[in-house]
Amino acid sequence: MLKTLSVLHTPELLHALASMGHGDEIAIVDANFPAVSMAQRLVRLDGADLAAALTACLHLMPLDNFVKEPAFRMQQVHAPDEIPEVQKSCQKIIDQAEGKHVALSGISREAFYERTRKAFVVLVTSEQRPYGCILLKKGVVFPPGTN
Amino acid sequence: MLKTLSVLHTPELLHALASMGHGDEIAIVDANFPAVSMAQRLVRLDGADLAAALTACLHLMPLDNFVKEPAFRMQQVHAPDEIPEVQKSCQKIIDQAEGKHVALSGISREAFYERTRKAFVVLVTSEQRPYGCILLKKGVVFPPGTN
């Protein structure tokens, strides 16, 4: 454990987040996602749900504001435009962390898989609700006092 | 780079600090210290001086308040009781981070070597001043709102 951080900021998660640069992507996925077979780099947060994992990431990582769509959600196969509760809670956490509304863009299951295979890291949670899968693009951290 | 942290919070340093538990020790040493040959685990902060490295560590790591001596400095061989400037600056940083005076206890060069060989991690800096070597014992991070 470390001051100013939470128990979810594990050594492996901190290493991954700090290794990421501008534009690198992290997929945060539920317990059913085929993470081990898709990830180039895998970090486990067993025991944490999606909201807790997302909160831990956004405490340290800004979203990319150089692009229009820095955050994605996996669309439900049977209802692409219906946003499930597990993703609605993520939208609230993102908006709070960024201090403004940054929409989760819906992409198909297959598109999500394709993007996850290219992601810098996949963070596996114990989220049990289906479609508990989002993907974020890291932004720039500016020197203190600038923006 | 990450929000709330500095450029010196490298992936490797974050991983090491978060891996340490209560009572584990970190040696932060100068550029002449035989770190590679002594360390069980080594992290490099090339380019940083001792004060900057210490500040980065204490931003995240509390000192152990279960023991009387949680911080040590390598005594000068020719003048064990004379505290060099490089160590005086560390004393100020420690006191500020801990919010109270926590003395750097002087130990001999040989005792410092012995302790470093057992330390959880050795953090090598580019400090060029001699005797820029200290050793810290990690304390407990309590849940938010408790102490």
Side-chain angles (χ1 to χ4, degrees):
Chain A
M1 288 187 70
L2 292 171
K3 289 159 69 177
T4 77
L5 302 180
S6 88
V7 284
L8 297 186
H9 291 113
T10 62
E12 288 70 28
L13 180 56
L14 288 171
H15 191 282
L17 292 175
S19 298
M20 290 171 69
H22 182 199
D24 283 335
E25 297 186 346
I26 179 171
I28 313 177
V29 300
D30 64 38
N32 280 296
F33 191 89
V36 177
S37 62
M38 285 195 184
Q40 295 187 34
R41 175 173 178 163
L42 188 81
V43 174
R44 303 200 68 88
L45 270 189
D46 297 305
D49 63 15
L50 183 65
L54 174 62
T55 301
C57 289
L58 292 183
H59 179 72
L60 293 173
M61 190 190 88
L63 294 183
D64 190 3
N65 61 9
F66 284 48
V67 295
K68 282 187 182 172
E69 296 184 316
F72 300 89
R73 64 177 186 84
M74 185 195 285
Q75 288 173 328
Q76 296 180 106
V77 173
H78 64 285
D81 295 331
E82 180 189 305
I83 302 176
E85 283 301 323
V86 65
Q87 295 178 358
K88 284 182 181 166
S89 66
C90 291
Q91 185 63 67
K92 284 182 189 167
I93 293 164
I94 288 171
D95 293 354
Q96 187 162 22
E98 290 291 302
K100 62 181 179 187
H101 178 61
V102 180
L104 276 165
S105 307
I107 55 176
S108 71
R109 181 181 161 219
E110 289 308 321
F112 194 96
Y113 283 178
E114 190 177 347
R115 198 145 188 157
T116 297
R117 287 193 186 94
K118 297 175 185 167
F120 184 89
V121 61
V122 178
L123 181 60
V124 191
T125 72
S126 290
E127 178 61 59
Q128 295 181 64
R129 289 175 288 178
Y131 297 100
C133 298
I134 62 173
L135 190 142
L136 309 173
K137 188 183 279 288
K138 190 183 184 186
V140 174
V141 178
F142 292 91
T146 68
N147 206 332
Chain B
M1 286 190 69
L2 292 171
K3 290 160 67 177
T4 78
L5 301 182
S6 88
V7 284
L8 297 186
H9 292 114
T10 63
E12 289 69 28
L13 179 56
L14 288 170
H15 191 282
L17 292 175
S19 297
M20 290 172 69
H22 182 198
D24 283 335
E25 297 186 346
I26 180 171
I28 313 177
V29 300
D30 63 39
N32 280 295
F33 192 89
V36 177
S37 63
M38 284 194 184
Q40 295 187 36
R41 175 173 177 162
L42 188 81
V43 174
R44 305 200 67 90
L45 269 189
D46 297 304
D49 63 14
L50 183 65
L54 173 62
T55 301
C57 289
L58 292 183
H59 179 72
L60 294 172
M61 189 190 87
L63 295 182
D64 189 4
N65 61 10
F66 284 48
V67 296
K68 284 186 181 173
E69 296 183 315
F72 300 88
R73 64 178 185 85
M74 185 196 285
Q75 289 174 327
Q76 297 180 105
V77 173
H78 64 284
D81 296 331
E82 180 190 304
I83 302 176
E85 282 302 322
V86 66
Q87 295 179 358
K88 282 182 183 167
S89 66
C90 291
Q91 184 64 67
K92 284 182 190 168
I93 292 164
I94 289 171
D95 293 354
Q96 187 163 20
E98 290 291 302
K100 63 181 179 184
H101 179 60
V102 180
L104 276 165
S105 306
I107 55 177
S108 72
R109 180 180 161 219
E110 288 308 320
F112 193 96
Y113 282 178
E114 190 177 348
R115 198 143 189 160
T116 297
R117 287 194 186 93
K118 298 176 184 167
F120 184 90
V121 61
V122 178
L123 181 61
V124 192
T125 72
S126 290
E127 177 61 57
Q128 295 182 63
R129 290 175 289 179
Y131 297 100
C133 298
I134 61 172
L135 190 143
L136 309 173
K137 188 183 279 286
K138 189 183 185 187
V140 174
V141 178
F142 293 92
T146 68
N147 207 330

